[in-house]
Amino acid sequence: MKRLADCRLYGILDLGYVRPEAACDIVRQMIEGGIDILQLRAKNLAIDQIERIGLQIEPLTSAAGVPLIINDHPEIVPVIGAQGAHVGQDDRPVADARWRAGRALAGEVPPPLIGKSTHSMEQAVAAASEGADYIGFGPLYATPTKPGRPAIGLGDVQRVNELVRIPIFCIGGINLETLPSVLAAGAKCVVVVSAILQAADITAYCRALKSKIQNLKS
């Protein structure tokens, strides 16, 4: 399984864009394209439906060594065999999410990863202090994935990387066109949602994103 510290391209299987029956096929394409970590996000589905889809895609992510993160529902992490959960600013605290996502026998497997969404410098610093393993930072640009949430821009990207010592995944309106500006602003890790899921060729799109990120690193 990839270490969180080695993950640069974070993909989200957002079932607001993808039909549940297409989930496995989309995940295969994202993995083939080189995503490093995958989140299952299903805001409008019942928890039993999310669990069922999670169980379908977990063998794919596990075989590829791609950590699987469950949005909003840490309690189903051990049932699915996922590697962790992601919570928002208005969701349960990190410690509670970690407890709910924990395995039955301590020490058998690595502890669950818990990520938290942040929308300002203050929230980013607070999430790190709270014990989050990583944060999402954004939205940098306006995005249809989060309608109504104002963009925070690129001005704090470098500063948040200086102040927060856990992985920071910049998110919000990132695509092949905006990615160079995001990387130039200081981002090291990014989340891409709608641009991947709506691409005509998902695998090729992911590869193109990954190439830009790796070129920056080199």
Side-chain angles (χ1 to χ4, degrees):
M1 193 64 60
K2 288 186 180 180
R3 300 184 311 135
L4 184 61
D6 296 327
C7 294
R8 294 290 179 265
L9 179 57
Y10 192 136
I12 297 185
L13 180 69
D14 188 329
L15 295 178
Y17 291 96
V18 175
R19 292 177 292 106
E21 56 269 27
C24 287
D25 182 52
I26 299 297
V27 168
R28 287 189 190 96
Q29 294 179 62
M30 294 170 77
I31 289 172
E32 187 177 350
I35 62 162
D36 298 307
I37 183 170
L38 178 74
Q39 181 185 132
L40 172 59
R41 183 178 187 268
K43 292 292 188 180
N44 298 317
L45 294 186
I47 191 169
D48 61 320
Q49 294 174 290
I50 299 171
E51 182 180 314
R52 184 164 59 251
I53 295 167
L55 288 168
Q56 292 171 352
I57 66 175
E58 189 279 332
L60 304 175
T61 57
S62 180
V66 171
L68 176 60
I69 306 296
I70 307 301
N71 183 275
D72 285 350
H73 299 289
E75 63 272 21
I76 63 175
V77 164
V79 178
I80 292 171
Q83 279 62 58
H86 188 92
V87 295
Q89 279 294 308
D90 300 323
D91 298 330
R92 62 185 80 253
V94 167
D96 182 63
R98 198 184 307 280
W99 176 79
R100 291 173 184 271
R103 304 323 203 256
L105 297 176
E108 272 201 346
V109 293
L113 300 170
I114 303 297
K116 187 159 188 171
S117 295
T118 65
H119 315 299
S120 67
M121 286 291 302
E122 293 75 17
Q123 290 179 2
V125 171
S129 299
E130 191 184 347
D133 294 292
Y134 74 87
I135 60 169
F137 186 68
L140 302 186
Y141 302 95
T143 170
T145 304
K146 292 286 186 179
R149 186 177 294 281
I152 64 174
L154 301 176
D156 286 333
V157 172
Q158 184 62 48
R159 185 66 175 149
V160 76
N161 276 279
E162 294 170 355
L163 291 181
V164 176
R165 309 317 302 172
I166 58 176
I168 299 159
F169 289 87
C170 290
I171 186 171
I174 300 175
N175 53 42
L176 278 174
E177 288 69 42
T178 59
L179 180 59
S181 296
V182 173
L183 296 175
K188 298 178 175 63
C189 313
V190 298
V191 183
V192 183
V193 188
S194 61
I196 288 177
L197 298 178
Q198 296 178 325
D201 186 333
I202 288 175
T203 297
Y205 201 92
C206 290
R207 285 175 177 164
L209 290 165
K210 194 72 175 287
S211 177
K212 287 183 182 293
I213 297 168
Q214 290 173 332
N215 286 342
L216 175 76
K217 290 175 62 180
S218 61

